[in-house]
Short mmCIF file of all heavy atoms in Angstrom, two decimals:
data_model
loop_
_atom_site.label_atom_id
_atom_site.label_comp_id
_atom_site.label_asym_id
_atom_site.label_seq_id
_atom_site.Cartn_x
_atom_site.Cartn_y
_atom_site.Cartn_z
N PHE O 1 38.09 16.80 15.49
CA PHE O 1 38.20 17.71 14.35
C PHE O 1 38.91 19.01 14.74
O PHE O 1 39.63 19.59 13.93
CB PHE O 1 36.81 18.03 13.79
CG PHE O 1 36.08 16.85 13.20
CD1 PHE O 1 34.70 16.71 13.36
CD2 PHE O 1 36.77 15.86 12.49
CE1 PHE O 1 34.03 15.62 12.82
CE2 PHE O 1 36.10 14.77 11.96
CZ PHE O 1 34.73 14.65 12.12
N GLU O 2 38.72 19.46 15.98
CA GLU O 2 39.34 20.71 16.44
C GLU O 2 40.87 20.64 16.39
O GLU O 2 41.55 21.65 16.22
CB GLU O 2 38.90 21.02 17.87
CG GLU O 2 37.51 21.61 17.98
CD GLU O 2 37.47 23.09 17.63
OE1 GLU O 2 37.90 23.91 18.44
OE2 GLU O 2 37.00 23.40 16.52
N THR O 3 41.42 19.44 16.59
CA THR O 3 42.87 19.31 16.68
C THR O 3 43.53 18.76 15.42
O THR O 3 44.74 18.65 15.37
CB THR O 3 43.23 18.38 17.87
OG1 THR O 3 42.62 17.10 17.67
CG2 THR O 3 42.72 18.97 19.19
N MET O 4 42.74 18.40 14.42
CA MET O 4 43.29 17.84 13.19
C MET O 4 43.70 18.93 12.22
O MET O 4 43.08 20.00 12.18
CB MET O 4 42.24 16.95 12.49
CG MET O 4 41.99 15.64 13.13
SD MET O 4 40.70 14.78 12.18
CE MET O 4 40.49 13.34 13.21
N PRO O 5 44.69 18.66 11.38
CA PRO O 5 44.95 19.56 10.25
C PRO O 5 43.71 19.60 9.35
O PRO O 5 43.15 18.55 9.02
CB PRO O 5 46.14 18.90 9.54
CG PRO O 5 46.77 18.03 10.57
CD PRO O 5 45.66 17.55 11.46
N ALA O 6 43.30 20.79 8.98
CA ALA O 6 42.08 20.97 8.17
C ALA O 6 40.88 20.29 8.81
O ALA O 6 39.98 19.80 8.13
CB ALA O 6 42.30 20.43 6.76
N GLY O 7 40.87 20.25 10.15
CA GLY O 7 39.82 19.53 10.87
C GLY O 7 38.43 20.07 10.62
O GLY O 7 37.48 19.31 10.57
N HIS O 8 38.30 21.39 10.46
CA HIS O 8 36.97 21.95 10.23
C HIS O 8 36.42 21.53 8.87
O HIS O 8 35.21 21.30 8.71
CB HIS O 8 37.00 23.48 10.34
CG HIS O 8 37.27 23.96 11.73
ND1 HIS O 8 37.61 25.26 12.02
CD2 HIS O 8 37.22 23.31 12.92
CE1 HIS O 8 37.78 25.39 13.33
NE2 HIS O 8 37.55 24.21 13.89
N LEU O 9 37.31 21.39 7.88
CA LEU O 9 36.87 20.92 6.57
C LEU O 9 36.45 19.46 6.65
O LEU O 9 35.39 19.08 6.14
CB LEU O 9 38.00 21.09 5.55
CG LEU O 9 37.72 20.53 4.15
CD1 LEU O 9 36.50 21.23 3.53
CD2 LEU O 9 38.95 20.69 3.25
N VAL O 10 37.28 18.64 7.33
CA VAL O 10 36.93 17.23 7.50
C VAL O 10 35.62 17.11 8.27
O VAL O 10 34.74 16.31 7.93
CB VAL O 10 38.06 16.47 8.22
CG1 VAL O 10 37.65 15.01 8.48
CG2 VAL O 10 39.34 16.51 7.41
N GLY O 11 35.49 17.92 9.33
CA GLY O 11 34.26 17.89 10.11
C GLY O 11 33.05 18.30 9.29
O GLY O 11 31.98 17.70 9.41
N GLY O 12 33.22 19.33 8.45
CA GLY O 12 32.12 19.75 7.61
C GLY O 12 31.67 18.65 6.67
O GLY O 12 30.47 18.40 6.50
N VAL O 13 32.63 17.94 6.07
CA VAL O 13 32.30 16.83 5.18
C VAL O 13 31.58 15.72 5.95
O VAL O 13 30.57 15.16 5.49
CB VAL O 13 33.58 16.27 4.52
CG1 VAL O 13 33.27 14.99 3.75
CG2 VAL O 13 34.20 17.31 3.59
N PHE O 14 32.08 15.42 7.15
CA PHE O 14 31.46 14.36 7.95
C PHE O 14 30.01 14.71 8.28
O PHE O 14 29.10 13.88 8.11
CB PHE O 14 32.24 14.15 9.25
CG PHE O 14 31.58 13.15 10.18
CD1 PHE O 14 31.79 11.79 10.01
CD2 PHE O 14 30.74 13.57 11.20
CE1 PHE O 14 31.17 10.87 10.85
CE2 PHE O 14 30.12 12.67 12.04
CZ PHE O 14 30.34 11.31 11.87
N PHE O 15 29.76 15.93 8.73
CA PHE O 15 28.40 16.28 9.14
C PHE O 15 27.46 16.49 7.96
O PHE O 15 26.25 16.26 8.07
CB PHE O 15 28.44 17.52 10.06
CG PHE O 15 29.00 17.21 11.43
CD1 PHE O 15 30.19 17.78 11.86
CD2 PHE O 15 28.34 16.33 12.27
CE1 PHE O 15 30.71 17.49 13.11
CE2 PHE O 15 28.85 16.01 13.53
CZ PHE O 15 30.04 16.60 13.95
N ILE O 16 27.99 16.87 6.81
CA ILE O 16 27.15 16.90 5.60
C ILE O 16 26.71 15.48 5.25
O ILE O 16 25.53 15.24 4.93
CB ILE O 16 27.93 17.53 4.43
CG1 ILE O 16 28.05 19.05 4.63
CG2 ILE O 16 27.22 17.25 3.09
CD1 ILE O 16 28.95 19.72 3.63
N MET O 17 27.66 14.55 5.31
CA MET O 17 27.33 13.15 5.05
C MET O 17 26.29 12.65 6.04
O MET O 17 25.33 11.95 5.69
CB MET O 17 28.61 12.31 5.12
CG MET O 17 28.42 10.81 4.94
SD MET O 17 28.06 9.97 6.49
CE MET O 17 29.51 10.40 7.44
N LEU O 18 26.45 13.02 7.32
CA LEU O 18 25.51 12.59 8.35
C LEU O 18 24.13 13.18 8.10
O LEU O 18 23.10 12.51 8.30
CB LEU O 18 26.04 13.01 9.72
CG LEU O 18 25.32 12.46 10.96
CD1 LEU O 18 25.30 10.94 10.93
CD2 LEU O 18 26.01 12.96 12.23
N ALA O 19 24.08 14.43 7.64
CA ALA O 19 22.79 15.06 7.34
C ALA O 19 22.09 14.35 6.18
O ALA O 19 20.87 14.13 6.22
CB ALA O 19 23.00 16.54 7.01
N ILE O 20 22.84 13.99 5.15
CA ILE O 20 22.26 13.28 4.01
C ILE O 20 21.67 11.95 4.47
O ILE O 20 20.55 11.58 4.10
CB ILE O 20 23.32 13.05 2.92
CG1 ILE O 20 23.75 14.39 2.30
CG2 ILE O 20 22.78 12.13 1.83
CD1 ILE O 20 24.95 14.28 1.38
N ALA O 21 22.43 11.23 5.29
CA ALA O 21 21.95 9.94 5.79
C ALA O 21 20.72 10.12 6.66
O ALA O 21 19.75 9.34 6.58
CB ALA O 21 23.07 9.25 6.58
N ALA O 22 20.72 11.15 7.51
CA ALA O 22 19.59 11.39 8.39
C ALA O 22 18.33 11.70 7.60
O ALA O 22 17.24 11.19 7.91
CB ALA O 22 19.91 12.54 9.34
N LEU O 23 18.46 12.53 6.59
CA LEU O 23 17.30 12.89 5.77
C LEU O 23 16.73 11.67 5.04
O LEU O 23 15.51 11.49 4.97
CB LEU O 23 17.68 13.98 4.77
CG LEU O 23 17.88 15.38 5.36
CD1 LEU O 23 18.58 16.29 4.35
CD2 LEU O 23 16.53 15.99 5.76
N SER O 24 17.61 10.82 4.52
CA SER O 24 17.14 9.67 3.75
C SER O 24 16.32 8.72 4.60
O SER O 24 15.35 8.11 4.14
CB SER O 24 18.33 8.93 3.11
OG SER O 24 19.15 8.32 4.09
N SER O 25 16.68 8.57 5.87
CA SER O 25 15.88 7.73 6.77
C SER O 25 14.59 8.42 7.19
O SER O 25 13.54 7.79 7.30
CB SER O 25 16.70 7.39 8.02
OG SER O 25 17.68 6.43 7.74
N ALA O 26 14.69 9.71 7.47
CA ALA O 26 13.52 10.44 7.93
C ALA O 26 12.41 10.45 6.88
O ALA O 26 11.22 10.38 7.22
CB ALA O 26 13.91 11.87 8.30
N PHE O 27 12.79 10.53 5.59
CA PHE O 27 11.79 10.48 4.52
C PHE O 27 10.92 9.23 4.66
O PHE O 27 9.70 9.28 4.56
CB PHE O 27 12.45 10.44 3.13
CG PHE O 27 13.32 11.61 2.81
CD1 PHE O 27 14.35 11.48 1.90
CD2 PHE O 27 13.12 12.84 3.41
CE1 PHE O 27 15.16 12.55 1.58
CE2 PHE O 27 13.92 13.93 3.10
CZ PHE O 27 14.96 13.78 2.18
N SER O 28 11.59 8.11 4.88
CA SER O 28 10.88 6.83 4.89
C SER O 28 9.94 6.71 6.07
O SER O 28 8.85 6.15 5.96
CB SER O 28 11.89 5.67 4.90
OG SER O 28 12.62 5.68 6.11
N ILE O 29 10.36 7.23 7.23
CA ILE O 29 9.51 7.13 8.41
C ILE O 29 8.25 7.99 8.24
O ILE O 29 7.14 7.56 8.54
CB ILE O 29 10.29 7.56 9.67
CG1 ILE O 29 11.53 6.66 9.86
CG2 ILE O 29 9.40 7.45 10.90
CD1 ILE O 29 12.45 7.11 10.99
N LEU O 30 8.44 9.20 7.73
CA LEU O 30 7.27 10.06 7.50
C LEU O 30 6.35 9.45 6.44
O LEU O 30 5.12 9.57 6.53
CB LEU O 30 7.72 11.46 7.07
CG LEU O 30 6.60 12.49 6.85
CD1 LEU O 30 5.72 12.64 8.09
CD2 LEU O 30 7.18 13.84 6.44
N GLU O 31 6.91 8.79 5.45
CA GLU O 31 6.11 8.19 4.39
C GLU O 31 5.13 7.16 4.94
O GLU O 31 4.02 6.98 4.41
CB GLU O 31 7.01 7.55 3.33
CG GLU O 31 6.28 6.82 2.21
CD GLU O 31 5.43 7.74 1.34
OE1 GLU O 31 5.67 8.97 1.34
OE2 GLU O 31 4.51 7.24 0.68
N VAL O 32 5.50 6.46 6.03
CA VAL O 32 4.62 5.46 6.61
C VAL O 32 3.30 6.09 7.05
O VAL O 32 2.21 5.63 6.69
CB VAL O 32 5.30 4.76 7.81
CG1 VAL O 32 4.30 3.84 8.52
CG2 VAL O 32 6.49 3.95 7.35
N VAL O 33 3.39 7.14 7.85
CA VAL O 33 2.16 7.75 8.36
C VAL O 33 1.43 8.53 7.28
O VAL O 33 0.19 8.59 7.27
CB VAL O 33 2.46 8.63 9.59
CG1 VAL O 33 2.75 7.76 10.80
CG2 VAL O 33 3.61 9.59 9.36
N VAL O 34 2.17 9.12 6.35
CA VAL O 34 1.52 9.81 5.23
C VAL O 34 0.74 8.81 4.38
O VAL O 34 -0.40 9.06 3.97
CB VAL O 34 2.57 10.56 4.38
CG1 VAL O 34 1.96 11.03 3.05
CG2 VAL O 34 3.12 11.76 5.14
N SER O 35 1.34 7.66 4.11
CA SER O 35 0.67 6.62 3.33
C SER O 35 -0.62 6.17 4.00
O SER O 35 -1.64 5.96 3.34
CB SER O 35 1.62 5.43 3.15
OG SER O 35 0.97 4.35 2.52
N PHE O 36 -0.58 6.03 5.32
CA PHE O 36 -1.78 5.62 6.05
C PHE O 36 -2.90 6.65 5.89
O PHE O 36 -4.06 6.30 5.61
CB PHE O 36 -1.45 5.44 7.54
CG PHE O 36 -2.68 5.36 8.41
CD1 PHE O 36 -3.53 4.27 8.33
CD2 PHE O 36 -2.99 6.39 9.29
CE1 PHE O 36 -4.68 4.20 9.12
CE2 PHE O 36 -4.13 6.32 10.08
CZ PHE O 36 -4.97 5.23 9.99
N VAL O 37 -2.58 7.92 6.04
CA VAL O 37 -3.59 8.97 5.93
C VAL O 37 -4.16 9.04 4.51
O VAL O 37 -5.37 9.15 4.31
CB VAL O 37 -2.99 10.33 6.35
CG1 VAL O 37 -3.95 11.48 6.00
CG2 VAL O 37 -2.69 10.34 7.84
N ILE O 38 -3.27 8.93 3.51
CA ILE O 38 -3.72 8.97 2.11
C ILE O 38 -4.65 7.79 1.80
O ILE O 38 -5.72 7.95 1.22
CB ILE O 38 -2.52 8.96 1.15
CG1 ILE O 38 -1.73 10.27 1.27
CG2 ILE O 38 -2.97 8.76 -0.29
CD1 ILE O 38 -0.43 10.27 0.50
N ASP O 39 -4.23 6.58 2.20
CA ASP O 39 -5.01 5.38 1.92
C ASP O 39 -6.35 5.37 2.66
O ASP O 39 -7.36 4.91 2.13
CB ASP O 39 -4.22 4.12 2.32
CG ASP O 39 -3.06 3.84 1.39
OD1 ASP O 39 -2.99 4.46 0.32
OD2 ASP O 39 -2.20 3.00 1.75
N THR O 40 -6.33 5.85 3.90
CA THR O 40 -7.51 5.71 4.76
C THR O 40 -8.53 6.81 4.56
O THR O 40 -9.74 6.56 4.55
CB THR O 40 -7.07 5.67 6.24
OG1 THR O 40 -6.09 4.63 6.41
CG2 THR O 40 -8.26 5.41 7.15
N PHE O 41 -8.05 8.04 4.40
CA PHE O 41 -8.96 9.18 4.38
C PHE O 41 -9.05 9.87 3.02
O PHE O 41 -9.76 10.86 2.88
CB PHE O 41 -8.53 10.20 5.44
CG PHE O 41 -8.47 9.63 6.83
CD1 PHE O 41 -7.26 9.37 7.44
CD2 PHE O 41 -9.64 9.32 7.51
CE1 PHE O 41 -7.19 8.84 8.72
CE2 PHE O 41 -9.59 8.78 8.80
CZ PHE O 41 -8.36 8.53 9.40
N ASP O 42 -8.33 9.33 2.04
CA ASP O 42 -8.36 9.90 0.69
C ASP O 42 -8.03 11.40 0.72
O ASP O 42 -8.66 12.22 0.06
CB ASP O 42 -9.73 9.67 0.04
CG ASP O 42 -9.69 9.95 -1.48
OD1 ASP O 42 -8.57 9.98 -2.03
OD2 ASP O 42 -10.77 10.12 -2.07
N ILE O 43 -7.00 11.74 1.51
CA ILE O 43 -6.51 13.11 1.59
C ILE O 43 -5.32 13.25 0.66
O ILE O 43 -4.53 12.32 0.49
CB ILE O 43 -6.10 13.46 3.04
CG1 ILE O 43 -7.34 13.43 3.96
CG2 ILE O 43 -5.41 14.82 3.14
CD1 ILE O 43 -7.02 13.65 5.42
N GLY O 44 -5.15 14.40 0.05
CA GLY O 44 -4.03 14.62 -0.85
C GLY O 44 -2.69 14.50 -0.15
O GLY O 44 -2.58 14.74 1.07
N ARG O 45 -1.65 14.15 -0.90
CA ARG O 45 -0.33 13.93 -0.31
C ARG O 45 0.21 15.19 0.35
O ARG O 45 0.78 15.12 1.44
CB ARG O 45 0.64 13.43 -1.39
CG ARG O 45 2.09 13.31 -0.92
CD ARG O 45 2.95 12.61 -1.94
NE ARG O 45 2.68 11.17 -1.95
CZ ARG O 45 3.31 10.30 -1.17
NH1 ARG O 45 4.24 10.71 -0.32
NH2 ARG O 45 3.04 9.02 -1.23
N VAL O 46 0.07 16.33 -0.29
CA VAL O 46 0.67 17.56 0.26
C VAL O 46 0.05 17.95 1.60
O VAL O 46 0.76 18.14 2.59
CB VAL O 46 0.58 18.71 -0.75
CG1 VAL O 46 1.04 20.03 -0.11
CG2 VAL O 46 1.45 18.40 -1.97
N PRO O 47 -1.30 18.08 1.71
CA PRO O 47 -1.86 18.44 3.02
C PRO O 47 -1.61 17.38 4.08
O PRO O 47 -1.40 17.72 5.26
CB PRO O 47 -3.35 18.62 2.74
CG PRO O 47 -3.61 17.95 1.43
CD PRO O 47 -2.34 18.05 0.66
#
């Protein structure tokens, strides 16, 4: 990206896309353990 024309813009788009993808997977992994705690201990979702 450092050597490309408009490389910082292209890089910004790439890393924004990577962040979106990372968040979408991370949600699901956290949901597994949250679901276990909710089902097992009858604790609210937020806490």
Side-chain angles (χ1 to χ4, degrees):
F1 295 143
E2 282 281 285
T3 59
M4 286 179 185
H8 292 166
L9 176 60
V10 176
V13 172
F14 175 83
F15 288 115
I16 287 172
M17 177 272 302
L18 190 56
I20 293 171
L23 286 166
S24 67
S25 286
F27 300 154
S28 65
I29 301 173
L30 182 56
E31 177 64 20
V32 173
V33 286
V34 168
S35 174
F36 166 68
V37 170
I38 292 172
D39 288 348
T40 305
F41 302 107
D42 194 17
I43 295 175
R45 174 171 285 271
V46 173

